[in-house]
Amino acid sequence: MDKIKAFFSNKITKIVAWVVLCICAVILIIGGATAESISGGVALVAGIVSAVSALISFIGGMIKKE
């Protein structure tokens, strides 16, 4: 459990999580994607990547509070 906490509290892990989240948003904006034009598969993949990024940030924040 300590290794997992160490991984999520690592500064590089937090930076990578935010960078991935921002890249997802930028790619969708640059691509001109609208809510209507995004297919189910693309939305699913973007949602999964965003969820993982948010989860890493959340766990890192919770660990930092302890």
Side-chain angles (χ1 to χ4, degrees):
M1 187 65 142
D2 290 332
K3 289 182 180 180
I4 294 172
K5 287 182 180 181
F7 174 76
F8 284 115
S9 64
N10 187 349
K11 185 176 182 179
I12 294 178
T13 303
K14 292 177 186 179
I15 291 170
V16 168
W18 283 108
V19 168
V20 168
L21 183 63
C22 292
I23 288 173
C24 288
V26 168
I27 288 173
L28 288 174
I29 291 169
I30 290 174
T34 61
E36 297 82 26
S37 66
I38 299 176
S39 67
V42 173
L44 179 63
V45 171
I48 290 171
V49 171
S50 297
V52 169
S53 300
L55 180 64
I56 290 171
S57 297
F58 173 75
I59 292 173
M62 295 299 292
I63 291 172
K64 190 174 184 179
K65 287 182 182 178
E66 293 179 1

